[in-house]
């Protein structure tokens, strides 16, 4: 036991005292598994492929040995680090500069969207490590504002993400330019075959270090699921009755991020959306608001949130159930960091139950079922707030405009009932008067239990049934086997889908694209 513990301390690795002290100052007490396994190999000068899920400390796994081996007195950039996004470039650069603080290592993040002149000026001032997105790095390399002859380390960070974002050509071009003698490190949460292929081509006999999944499940995260047909209402109830803190809410598509963020905002929550279509400025603003606590709900796609290290996330919400168990683990790994307790909540429709069970099985975790809070639970939590607001209004004594309404209501109802109804109206607004009814699609000509949808594309666009099934599955998370009859005509297509998911499918698929064609999706109208 003692030997294992001693081996865990950074001091037992062959590291400069300045580096160990900096790590201690950062609050790092011992290396994480990916760090203790990769650091010695990198220090030996070997190429390494490191695979471990988000939040396991991959940045320091390459950062510590690279910083250890940087020669501060030598001129020119010595390490090039590629990251998929601007936010990650900044984050990685900051972490490396902390690790290298006592060694006086200079790091610089470079990314598109920031004036290149400013970056060029900083580069001239003497930088040891440049962290950047592939596009902008390539830009500097072409302008020769980053000279390559002094580069000894290349790191591909979050490599799977970079490939997903279509950076492969830029990455390859950069690697072709770099000196053969460099050491190459590749870190990734997943290892698709494309990464293997890339590493074969550009790495020298790399050692692969994998931290397996069992070691990764996070015991400090309470995991719940809520089953509901109306996720928006369900989420709002949970927000009102149970949750306070900082939340990340995951949605599957950019469109659903936008929609959820604006629905939440219109219901009075401080929510912002984050996805790849935002401009850099918008993304910066969103992240700043969230970090500073000006918004407390970040609605994001997996890609946009991946790799971001935001402190003190108390809750992760899976508003759309993750596509696979791995991404479930990635998502919930955002909370419960640094020994703090976190909560993961997954909203499912009845149809998504099987997918939830699969996640539970593969991740070997227990996701407990929870009942949605009732309006009474919400009121209970808000009782004091409501009471003190009411006191304030009563004491101001300026509500007499409303008294004639009360007088006429008093002819039919008691004062208590009227007051309670008024509070309901105040709390729930227009929703208080809505009938609780499922949306009706009228007669769409579908089989019982099914809704027939009308799509304005067809044979002319060379649409096949497989295209329909594939894009419904990808965009709206609809398993192919629940889709009913598909009839493709020249200019339009009919698709039958189960009634209980029709609303969701329409809202996601309408104005989305299938095979590159913008499509309009609406309930069909049967000739009756
Ligand atoms: P990954 O790249 O694997 O997603 P990061 O490198 O972003 O993970 O690390 C996640 C968080 O853990 C960061 O806040 C980082 O500072 C912290 N961290 C990394 N290594 C350690 C360590 N050995 N001890 C304590 N905290 C650490
Ligand atoms: Mg990382």
């Amino acid at each position: 036991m003692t030997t294992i513990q001693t081996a865990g301390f950074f001091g037992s690795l062959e590291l400069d005292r300045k580096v160990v002290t900096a790590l201690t100052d950062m609050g790092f007490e011992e290396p994480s598994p990916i760090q203790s396994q990769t650091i010695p190999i990198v220090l030996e000068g070997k190429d390494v492929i490191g695979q471990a899920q988000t939040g396991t400390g991959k940045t320091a796994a390459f950062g510590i040995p690279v910083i250890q081996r940087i020669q501060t007195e030598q001129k020119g950039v010595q390490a090039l680090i590629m990251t998929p996004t601007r936010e990650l470039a900044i984050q990685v650069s900051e972490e490396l500069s902390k690790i290298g603080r006592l060694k006086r290592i200079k790091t610089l993040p470079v990314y598109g969207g920031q004036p290149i002149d400013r970056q060029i000026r900083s580069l001239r001032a003497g930088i040891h490590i440049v962290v950047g997105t592939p596009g902008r790095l390539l830009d500097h390399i072409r302008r020769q504002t980053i000279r390559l002859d002094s580069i000894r380390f290349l790191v591909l960070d979050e490599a799977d993400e970079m490939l997903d974002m279509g950076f492969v050509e830029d990455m390859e071009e950069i690697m072709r330019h770099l000196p053969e003698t460099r050491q190459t490190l590749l870190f990734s949460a997943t290892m698709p075959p494309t990464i293997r292929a890339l590493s074969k081509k550009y790495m020298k006999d790399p050692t692969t270090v994998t931290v397996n999944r069992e070691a990764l499940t996070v015991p400090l995260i309470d995991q719940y699921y809520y089953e509901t047909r109306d996720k928006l209402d369900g989420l709002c109830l949970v927000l009102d009755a149970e949750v306070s803190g900082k939340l990340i809410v995951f949605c599957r598509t950019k469109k659903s991020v936008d929609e959820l963020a604006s629905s939440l905002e219109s219901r009075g929550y401080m929510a912002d959306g984050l996805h790849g279509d935002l401009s850099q400025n918008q993304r910066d603003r969103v992240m700043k608001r969230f970090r500073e606590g000006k918004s407390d709900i970040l609605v994001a796609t997996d890609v946009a949130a991946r790799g971001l290290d935001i402190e003190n996330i108390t809750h992760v919400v899976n508003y759309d159930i993750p596509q696979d168990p791995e991404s479930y683990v990635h998502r919930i790994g955002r909370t419960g960091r640094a020994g703090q307790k976190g909560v993961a909540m997954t909203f499912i429709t009845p149809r998504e139950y099987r997918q939830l069970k699969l996640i539970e099985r593969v991740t070997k975790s227990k996701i407990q079922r929870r009942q949605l809070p009732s309006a009474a639970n919400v009121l209970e939590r808000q009782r004091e707030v409501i009471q003190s607001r009411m006191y304030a209004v009563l004491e101001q004594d300026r509500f007499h405009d409303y008294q004639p309404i009360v007088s006429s209501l008093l002819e039919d109802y008691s004062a208590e009932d009227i007051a309670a109804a008024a509070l309901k109206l105040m709390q729930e607004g227009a929703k208080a008067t809505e009938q609780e009814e499922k949306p009706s699609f009228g007669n769409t000509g579908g089989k019982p239990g099914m809704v027939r949808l009308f799509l304005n594309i067809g044979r002319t666009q060379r649409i096949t049934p497989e295209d329909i099934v594939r894009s419904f599955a990808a965009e709206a998370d609809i398993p192919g086997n629940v889709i009913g009859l598909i009839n493709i005509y020249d200019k339009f297509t009919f698709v039958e889908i189960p009634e209980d998911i029709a609303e969701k499918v329409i809202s996601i698929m309408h104005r989305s694209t299938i095979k590159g064609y913008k499509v309009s999706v609406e309930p069909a109208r049967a000739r009756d």
Side-chain angles (χ1 to χ4, degrees):
M1 198 63 204
T2 358
T3 47
I4 292 168
Q5 267 191 353
T6 320
F9 288 95
F10 284 110
S12 67
L13 296 165
E14 298 278 306
L15 295 174
D16 195 324
R17 199 175 42 80
K18 284 181 182 164
V19 176
V20 176
T21 310
L23 291 169
T24 313
D25 290 349
M26 289 165 73
F28 288 19
E29 287 172 338
E30 52 175 12
S32 68
I34 187 79
Q35 291 163 4
S36 61
Q37 290 179 57
T38 49
I39 294 172
I41 311 175
V42 181
L43 289 175
E44 275 174 40
K46 292 198 178 128
D47 283 6
V48 173
I49 299 176
Q51 179 187 5
Q53 74 159 93
T54 302
T56 49
K58 295 193 288 297
T59 314
F62 61 78
I64 293 169
V66 165
I67 283 165
Q68 168 68 27
R69 300 210 31 223
I70 295 275
Q71 289 156 1
T72 30
E73 65 290 351
Q74 193 186 308
K75 284 213 159 47
V77 177
Q78 293 172 56
L80 211 58
I81 296 170
M82 291 189 216
T83 64
T85 62
R86 170 198 183 126
E87 285 83 5
L88 267 178
I90 296 171
Q91 199 170 292
V92 168
S93 172
E94 278 172 1
E95 178 139 336
L96 299 190
S97 118
K98 281 187 203 153
I99 300 171
R101 186 174 60 92
L102 298 172
K103 261 193 96 170
R104 298 183 186 278
I105 301 284
K106 294 218 177 70
T107 69
L108 180 74
V110 299
Y111 39 80
Q114 192 189 46
I116 198 157
D117 299 347
R118 199 192 309 163
Q119 294 171 357
I120 292 172
R121 250 176 284 134
S122 308
L123 282 164
R124 281 206 202 104
I127 294 289
H128 301 108
I129 304 177
V130 176
V131 188
T133 47
R136 183 52 69 104
L137 282 174
L138 196 56
D139 205 350
H140 280 291
I141 290 171
R142 287 189 180 133
R143 290 164 186 252
Q144 301 198 332
T145 44
I146 295 179
R147 300 266 310 279
L148 298 180
D149 38 6
S150 53
I151 297 219
R152 297 160 53 218
F153 300 95
L154 170 71
V155 181
L156 308 179
D157 188 25
E158 312 285 356
D160 51 353
E161 205 56 42
M162 283 197 283
L163 291 180
D164 282 355
M165 294 177 71
F167 282 133
V168 68
E169 280 164 22
D170 289 353
M171 292 159 74
E172 292 201 64
E173 180 160 358
I174 293 174
M175 289 193 279
R176 279 197 296 271
H177 279 93
L178 291 177
E180 282 286 318
T181 51
R182 67 159 197 272
Q183 189 177 347
T184 308
L185 312 173
L186 183 154
F187 284 82
S188 190
T190 61
M191 276 300 146
T194 38
I195 293 196
R196 296 259 166 240
L198 208 63
S199 68
K200 274 222 179 72
K201 219 161 142 190
Y202 296 99
M203 296 176 79
K204 288 184 299 269
D205 189 22
T207 308
T208 302
V209 174
T210 306
V211 173
N212 62 22
R213 198 186 267 146
E214 268 85 349
L216 306 171
T217 34
V218 196
L220 283 168
I221 300 179
D222 287 334
Q223 301 173 53
Y224 301 111
Y225 77 92
Y226 297 96
E227 189 175 315
T228 171
R229 281 174 202 279
D230 189 334
K231 293 188 180 183
L232 180 59
D233 274 350
L235 175 61
C236 291
L237 280 172
V238 171
L239 289 174
D240 293 345
E242 291 173 357
V243 170
S244 58
K246 240 173 163 177
L247 288 82
I248 294 195
V249 181
F250 283 99
C251 292
R252 176 69 48 78
T253 63
K254 294 168 188 173
K255 192 163 170 248
S256 47
V257 163
D258 278 340
E259 282 169 2
L260 180 61
S262 65
S263 307
L264 287 173
E265 218 171 19
S266 68
R267 291 182 182 211
Y269 302 95
M270 308 287 272
D272 278 316
L274 187 74
H275 59 63
D277 282 356
L278 299 184
S279 71
Q280 290 293 3
N281 270 339
Q282 290 170 312
R283 284 159 71 109
D284 280 354
R285 211 173 319 130
V286 167
M287 290 311 299
K288 188 157 181 280
R289 280 167 51 83
F290 190 63
R291 286 213 163 88
E292 290 175 352
K294 292 194 178 116
S295 67
D296 39 32
I297 304 173
L298 186 67
V299 185
T301 55
D302 290 273
V303 171
R306 180 87 165 269
L308 285 183
D309 180 38
I310 305 160
E311 278 175 14
N312 307 326
I313 301 288
T314 57
H315 297 73
V316 168
V317 177
N318 295 306
Y319 190 77
D320 290 330
I321 192 164
Q323 241 145 353
D324 50 52
E326 288 215 331
S327 78
Y328 179 81
V329 175
H330 286 313
R331 285 181 178 186
I332 72 169
R334 293 324 165 79
T335 181
R337 293 271 181 105
Q340 285 171 348
K341 216 174 170 66
V343 180
M345 305 187 293
T346 303
F347 284 83
I348 60 163
T349 58
R351 267 174 200 280
E352 290 165 335
Y353 184 73
R354 274 179 47 206
Q355 214 171 329
L356 182 89
K357 284 288 146 186
L358 173 76
I359 290 173
E360 217 176 15
R361 206 166 59 239
V362 176
T363 61
K364 298 196 171 69
S365 51
K366 177 85 194 113
I367 309 178
Q368 283 171 33
R369 187 187 176 90
R370 262 217 186 169
Q371 288 302 335
L372 282 174
S374 62
N377 297 140
V378 175
L379 278 185
E380 194 172 323
R381 167 145 151 191
Q382 295 181 334
R383 177 174 292 164
E384 281 178 19
V385 177
I386 296 173
Q387 273 183 6
S388 75
R389 279 193 195 150
M390 287 300 293
Y391 273 121
V393 175
L394 285 164
E395 270 156 32
Q396 274 186 347
D397 199 23
R398 273 165 37 192
F399 45 77
H400 301 283
D401 285 353
Y402 295 96
Q403 236 145 14
I405 304 178
V406 177
S407 309
S408 74
L409 287 168
L410 274 171
E411 289 167 19
D412 298 312
Y413 296 97
S414 73
E416 277 92 352
D417 282 355
I418 295 169
L423 287 178
K424 178 176 161 90
L425 187 60
M426 165 181 107
Q427 282 304 109
E428 300 175 25
K431 227 185 124 248
T433 60
E434 272 168 26
Q435 301 290 332
E436 292 198 4
E437 232 178 79
K438 282 203 283 176
S440 161
F441 298 98
N443 182 4
T444 62
K447 285 197 207 60
M450 303 289 272
V451 167
R452 198 168 62 130
L453 302 180
F454 173 88
L455 281 62
N456 66 336
I457 50 173
R459 225 175 269 138
T460 317
Q461 287 82 15
R462 296 177 192 282
I463 295 299
T464 65
E466 292 75 50
D467 295 330
I468 302 282
V469 172
R470 204 177 317 117
S471 54
F472 274 46
E475 295 282 326
D477 186 26
I478 304 303
N481 58 7
V482 309
I483 298 177
L485 217 54
I486 300 177
N487 280 322
I488 301 180
Y489 298 89
D490 279 350
K491 295 213 168 66
F492 50 87
T493 298
F494 290 114
V495 183
E496 275 186 8
I497 55 161
E499 194 164 6
D500 58 348
I501 53 171
E503 201 188 20
K504 175 180 155 197
V505 172
I506 294 170
S507 73
I508 294 176
M509 295 307 298
H510 185 55
R511 295 181 199 288
S512 70
T513 51
I514 295 182
K515 248 190 170 173
Y517 294 99
K518 196 144 202 146
V519 35
S520 125
V521 178
E522 49 192 76
R525 270 185 296 270
R527 267 167 274 147
D528 45 5

